[in-house]
Amino acid sequence: MAKTALVTGASRGIGKSIALKLGQAGYNVIVNYSGSKDKAEAVVEAIKTEGGQAEAIQCQVQDHEEVKAMIKDITDRYKAIDLVVNNAGVTQDNLLMRMKEDEWDKVVDVNLKGTFNVIQSVSRPMIRQKGGRIINISSIVGSIGNAGQTNYVASKAGIDGITKSVARELAPKGITVNSVSPGFIESDMTDILSDEVKGKMLEQIPLRFFGDAEDIAETVMFLASDKARYITGQTIHVNGGMYMG
Ligand code: NDP
């Protein structure tokens, strides 16, 4: 029977790339999105065109009740949820002294609470199934910090922390929990940066090129596979050598 995977924030960028790869690998793919219905539907169509199975579900990951309802709906209809990729993420950059309370709240809510909400909701069905994979997308800046991103960095460092704690709690149930920590990956989130900022970042990348969404998707596919059965509680850095943990 085909496995079922939920990818949060799969309408664009890295999440889209992960969803497409999972579709090619034969998963039933749930393409979660926040506002981009058309883009999410296009990802679903692309998976179906290649012979895969997918559907789009809108859900704000920071909303505990909405997430609970989404996971119940998925497990009721698909009977199992084998893989969750917590990829949905936002930025609202500002220097600490200027950061508004709502900028802090929004980013921490979506990135960190959203990850908690999804993990908590899927853990029960995964425990019942006696297995599952949880993969959280964090960020290099969660390990090294970044001026102007206190909220985002806190959320991403928190995700690496959640990963370790939940990995310990769920390992006896046959569930692995890992983070994939991207460096500079070209996407909508990074397109807004100036050429000057991009140039400075390139100087800090030993491999001297930016990654793309496929680099992250391939790592996720490995962690989702049986080949990664003995890996849990880890943060896998995919960053061209920019940070060597
Ligand atoms: P994008 O901005 O391209 O896409 C973000 C995705 O998250 C979209 O699908 C968006 O949905 C979804 N999303 C946003 N808010 C919510 C919400 N409240 N509930 C559900 N879904 C939501 O991001 P990237 O592809 O660049 O990043 C993906 C992940 O990788 C993020 O967690 C990011 O922090 C992380 N990352 C990215 C790096 C990079 O260089 N790009 C570097 C390090 C980490 P919609 O389209 O509907 O708005």
Side-chain angles (χ1 to χ4, degrees), residues 92-104 146-154:
Q92 285 202 2
D93 298 352
N94 219 338
L95 291 170
L96 172 73
M97 296 297 285
R98 292 191 199 140
M99 188 165 287
K100 297 178 188 66
E101 188 182 357
D102 68 307
E103 290 171 336
W104 170 272
N146 199 19
Q149 288 199 309
T150 302
N151 49 1
Y152 182 75
V153 168

Side-chain angles (χ1 to χ4, degrees), residues 9 11-12 14 34-36 61-62 87 138 152 156 183 185 187 190:
S11 51
R12 297 183 273 129
I14 292 170
S34 164
S36 310
V61 292
Q62 70 274 31
N87 165 81
S138 59
Y152 182 75
K156 293 299 185 174
I185 304 297
S187 73
T190 56

